[in-house]
Amino acid sequence: MTVETKLPYNNEYIEQISTNRNEPSWLRTLRLEALEQVESLEMPKPDKTKITRWNFTQFKHEFTEGEAISSIKDLPEVLQEYFDQDNIPENLIIQRNNSIAYATINDDLKKQGVIFTDIFTALEEYSDLVEKYFMKDAVKVDQNRLTALHAALMNGGAFIYVPKNVQIEEPLQVVFWQEDAELALFNHVLVVAEENSKLTFVENYISSNSEQETIANIVEEVIAMDNAKISFGAVDNLSSGVTSYVNRRGVAYNNATIDWALGQMNDGNTISENITYLMGNGATSNANAVSVGRGKQIQNFTASIVQYGKASDGFILQRGVMKESATTIFNAIGKIEHGGTKANSEQESRVLMLSPDARGDANPILLIEEDDVTAGHAASVGRVDPLQMYYLMSRGISKEEAERLVVHGFLAPVVDQLPIESVKKQLKQVIERKVY
Amino acid sequence: MAGSVLEIKNLHVEIEGKEILKGVDLTIKGGEFHAIMGPNGTGKSTLASAIMGHPKYEVTEGSITLDGEDVLEMEVDERARAGLFLAMQYPSEITGVTTSDFLRSAINARREEGNEVPLMKFIKELDKDLNFLEIDQNMATRYLNEGFSGGEKKRNEILQLMQLKPEIAILDEIDSGLDIDALKVVSKGINKMRGENLGCLIITHYQRLLNYITPDYVHVMMQGRVVKSGGPELAKRLEAEGYDWVKDELGIEDETVEQNA
């Protein structure tokens, strides 16, 4: 059975938003072509999760401005806790609905040619640069119906560009705040690190709508040219009313590194894929992800590293905690293509169940097309070990606190990878809130 | 009166339907050090686990009280907060939880909310005990028992004993797998705690440990019961002559609880 997905938005609408935004013509063309393909393309097919009845087409898309703020202190309390008040990041963008509420960047970075801006400003000021990478090498418009829909309706995002040889130590942080409970988020993040450059990027997705239903269709592309090093952290924390499609892809060329630390903490139904292509020789990726499932939410996470280059190194590490009647599938796919000699592909996925009604599955997959390689995988789905509980409780620690320690400990190998201390703390808080 | 009193009466314990303890009677008072000796498979570790409330052991008869309070009615954590401590033979490994975070949680679990141990005070006390037990400082930041050597695990158990300062401590084969230097350090830690406020039950196969920690009372366990009690001289005689004379004296042929039968 297929469910018809009639789009409430047509050509005229697309042309209108493109004109209103004063977009370059290449993007307008790309949007219109994408819209044309939406109906004919297939929906994504996450392994072992049926999404035919999920809402991906009912939402509000009309431009919704978010009020600008002059200081972090003007943010509502729920957002305040995402920042260390004594240590507000120097490079920070806050997107509120469809507009930018706050943006700041260190002057030195600017002088060195670093671009750190919202996607629409980037399209106005650096159109050629954006065009060079936008849905070209990482995520393609016609990958599936949702990527095409994304291209047609993109309504937010950020562009980060670090020129050759520029090494940035301070992190760049973007907060995407879906304040309007019905507004759909078609967010596009494009990160490009030129040769021999280095950057740390961290993003947050935040909403607080549990009553109203909407969607998030997120596409993120991360490009690391030769010898570039990108550390990419994220905390997805969209609430239960949001059905999310998250597509994060990286492309790493010779001796480049892309390290991911993803806190997949959405409360609504979510499909999320994180694929890294190690195109170059000696390219490396560590794909770390944690998730907590609660309530009745259904989630499907795919982490994949596809290795083309020689002596490339891919390591997938996933940890999930399931409570109540949440269901989550973790797919880990390590793929070594023909010619990828001396490549190494490792993966470990572990799921911890806290309730008898929770469902979790970890599927380890290795696809190897080359002989001279090394590869390994580990996967497990289990419950809290009663002997661990006994040991902790025998020291006076209550059952709840003992379980809390075990859960935090279980997630720690991934949480500790998050590149910014304040974001790590924040992820711990989100985990705390979701688990207890 | 100083110290607490742990009273075990006619204790019967089963594991998976099989009776291991068949009527143990034992009273430990604050200030007293008791040693329980006996060959393998006689129920010594079962006694330790049953007192602490190990989930696999079921008490079918008898009683355990601490200062008159019914221990068997308490959850494991309540037993600990009431003053019991068990240094385990096989401590669990807890990934992702550092020894120091774990210890702080355990200490705070004994204190009122809002009256948590100040961080600096905690670190100072921890450093002091780490030094005393000749433990590398980095153990505090390592994950609890994960990748620890056998000796490190035992030292860590004694570190917890020193940090948590229980009323009644049970040490389940704390000497097993230790070389002589480690044994001396572990004994030093236990002896430091010795005083009228600590009652201690030391479970061991060997007299060796008792060369460093002199017990006030020695008990021999066979067939799931305490079959003989005496002073430190009993341990010396067992070391010199083995257990056969006890069996002969009591007419016991097979001292085990027939686990292999």
Side-chain angles (χ1 to χ4, degrees), chain B residues 86-128:
Chain B
L86 170 60
M88 297 197 191
Q89 198 178 347
Y90 304 109
S92 289
E93 300 185 358
I94 317 279
T95 304
V97 179
T98 63
T99 301
S100 115
D101 282 350
F102 156 72
L103 271 170
R104 204 142 66 92
S105 296
I107 291 168
N108 286 333
R110 279 145 224 276
R111 302 166 70 108
E112 300 275 311
E113 214 174 307
N115 185 30
E116 285 82 9
V117 59
L119 185 59
M120 287 318 292
K121 181 171 182 251
F122 167 73
I123 292 171
K124 231 175 93 186
E125 300 270 316
L126 181 59
D127 279 353
K128 207 174 73 187

Side-chain angles (χ1 to χ4, degrees), chain A residues 8-9 25 42 59-60 91 120 156 159-160 166 182 227 241 274 280 307 315 324 326 336 360 363 391 406 424 433:
Chain A
Y9 299 98
S25 60
E42 300 251 359
F59 51 81
K60 176 179 114 180
N91 311 301
F120 291 109
F159 179 62
I160 292 92
V166 174
E182 289 168 344
N227 294 311
N274 172 219
Q307 303 176 226
F315 188 11
E324 291 155 8
I336 300 178
N363 305 312
Y391 185 66
V406 170
K424 193 187 294 180
R433 211 180 310 138

